[in-house]
Structures are given as C-alpha cells and as structure tokens.
C-alpha cells in the first residue's frame, strides 16, 4: 500500500507539515549559530510513518486500522528528529520549541532526565501546528545528542520486531552501553563548559 492510498487527502498536508517543521528548525539553527557562535543542532531527520508501521502500531494498541485512528490516536504519523552536539543543546532547543506561538504543545516526555528501563534517552515533544501549510497536523519531535542517536539507531536495528535468543543478556548489554554513552555525553558537556568558561575550576 502506498502512502497516498493509506493517508489519502491527508498525505499532502502531512508532507507540508513535515517541511514546515524542518524549515522552522533550520531558521532557528541559523540564528542560534550567528548569535552564539556555536551550533545547537547538528542535523535533522524526518519521516512520515509508513502504512505498514502505522498498521502494526494501531493493531498493537488494539485500535482500528483506519485513517481516523492513525491521525487522532497515534501522534507520530509525522516525526522529526533533531540531533544536537551536547546535552544542554537539547534543552535549549526544546525551550525554543515550547515557546513558539504557532505550535500547541500537547505532551512532553523527558527520557533524558528519566530514561526508559532499556537505557533509551531522548526528549520528545508532541505538538499541533496552529498556523501555516501544516495547520492542524500533529507532529512528534525527538531531540537527542549524536551519541544518544547512535545508540538508539543501533538498538532499533538489533531489536526491532525480532525474536532473538539470549534476550535478557542482550537487554542488559544494551542498557550498559546506553549508560556508558550517557556518561561520555556528560563528560563532553563538562569539557565544553570548561572551554567556554561557564564552569569554575
């Protein structure tokens, strides 16, 4: 099934919303770099959830496989991921998003401060676009560091939709890797703060 067949007339609006958010973030990133002399954002990725993934998610939640359920019961049909260099860039970017008048914040999930049991760390903001070509579309924004994205991407490849042997052992190993990566992130943040003079020695 194609995206157009599943999402029908809503697909064009969803693509417009995806581009609108990417353009908005690019404008913020450019202004931020000019003002601070440092990048808060390394790069972005985005996607419209595939019909197959959406169908699987709806079934997993016990919801009907309908366009209405996909657009009202699931909030990540349009997803944007923002990759930042350091931890404090995550929160700086998140505060800017939360302060925008054209986005209505619906939900915040801070998996940086409160990681999942698996070790997953990321900052999620679910919002509805209030103005512009994507008006009315709900978007899930994920913000994480380069290191956290590295872990999440590999964990997804290793575990997603797969039945594996030694599952408990693998989960423990992945959790240990996640904790080590988070520790490196904190060390890199400290080094940057020392270089910038924001931490007294």
């Amino acid at each position: 099934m194609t995206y157009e067949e599943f999402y029908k007339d809503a697909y064009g609006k969803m693509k417009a919303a995806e581009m609108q958010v990417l353009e908005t973030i690019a404008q913020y990133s450019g202004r931020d770099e000019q003002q601070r002399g440092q990048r808060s954002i390394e790069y972005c990725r985005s996607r419209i959830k595939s019909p197959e993934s959406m169908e699987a998610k709806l079934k997993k939640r016990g919801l009907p496989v309908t366009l209405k359920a996909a657009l009202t019961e699931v909030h990540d049909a349009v997803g944007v991921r923002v990759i930042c260099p350091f931890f404090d860039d995550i929160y700086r970017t998140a505060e800017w998003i939360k302060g925008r008048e054209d986005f209505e914040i619906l939900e915040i999930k801070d998996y940086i401060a409160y990681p999942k049991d698996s070790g997953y760390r990321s900052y999620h903001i679910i919002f509805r676009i209030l103005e512009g070509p994507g008006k009315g579309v709900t978007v899930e924004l994920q913000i994480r560091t380069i290191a956290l994205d590295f872990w999440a991407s590999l964990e997804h490849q290793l575990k997603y939709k797969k039945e594996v042997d030694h599952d408990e052992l693998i989960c423990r190993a992945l959790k240990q890797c996640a904790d080590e990566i988070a520790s490196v992130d904190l060390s890199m943040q400290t080094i940057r703060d020392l270089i910038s003079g924001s931490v007294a020695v």
Side-chain angles (χ1 to χ4, degrees):
M1 181 182 294
T2 67
Y3 286 82
E4 291 85 352
E5 288 171 339
F6 184 82
Y7 292 111
K8 299 181 171 58
D9 292 343
Y11 183 63
K13 178 64 73 73
M14 294 165 71
K15 289 296 294 181
E18 179 185 17
M19 292 307 301
Q20 182 178 343
V21 174
L22 288 174
E23 289 170 4
T24 299
I25 291 170
Q27 290 170 6
Y28 161 73
S29 181
R31 287 198 305 269
D32 186 60
E33 186 170 2
Q34 284 185 338
Q35 292 171 359
R36 298 174 57 246
Q38 297 177 343
R39 288 196 305 268
S40 290
I41 296 172
E42 284 290 330
Y43 56 90
C44 295
R45 297 192 188 116
S46 64
R47 59 100 183 98
I48 307 293
K49 187 178 282 294
S50 71
E52 293 77 17
S53 293
M54 180 59 76
E55 181 178 346
K57 190 162 192 174
L58 290 168
K59 288 180 177 178
K60 184 177 180 180
R61 293 188 177 184
L63 296 167
V65 182
T66 63
L67 177 60
K68 181 179 180 181
L71 298 181
T72 60
E73 301 294 336
V74 176
H75 293 142
D76 66 343
V78 179
V80 176
R81 185 173 301 156
V82 175
I83 310 302
C84 299
F86 298 94
F87 269 137
D88 64 353
D89 296 320
I90 294 174
Y91 289 100
R92 183 180 294 108
T93 302
E95 287 305 309
W96 173 78
I97 289 289
K98 289 187 284 185
R100 291 191 62 85
E101 294 183 355
D102 54 344
F103 296 159
E104 178 190 2
I105 306 303
L106 303 177
E107 187 175 2
I108 293 171
K109 299 176 182 177
D110 187 353
Y111 297 120
I112 303 292
Y114 305 98
K116 291 186 177 183
D117 291 341
S118 65
Y120 175 84
R121 291 167 169 85
S122 187
Y123 195 102
H124 294 194
I125 304 175
I126 297 171
F127 61 89
R128 182 179 294 111
I129 299 175
L130 300 178
E131 302 173 8
K135 181 178 179 181
V137 175
T138 299
V139 177
E140 182 186 68
L141 183 72
Q142 299 179 355
I143 315 173
R144 58 180 71 146
T145 65
I146 300 166
L148 298 182
D149 189 55
F150 160 77
W151 181 89
S153 296
L154 293 185
E155 191 265 354
H156 183 79
Q157 288 185 39
L158 291 169
K159 295 280 289 176
Y160 188 59
K161 294 181 179 177
K162 292 179 182 176
E163 295 295 330
V164 294
D165 295 328
H166 313 296
D167 185 67
E168 186 176 338
L169 176 62
I170 290 169
C171 288
R172 285 203 305 270
L174 285 169
K175 173 65 165 57
Q176 181 178 346
C177 288
D179 293 343
E180 290 170 353
I181 286 171
S183 178
V184 170
D185 254 335
L186 286 171
S187 296
M188 296 300 287
Q189 177 72 59
T190 300
I191 292 168
R192 184 171 85 161
D193 292 343
L194 287 168
I195 291 171
S196 67
S198 59
V199 172
V201 179

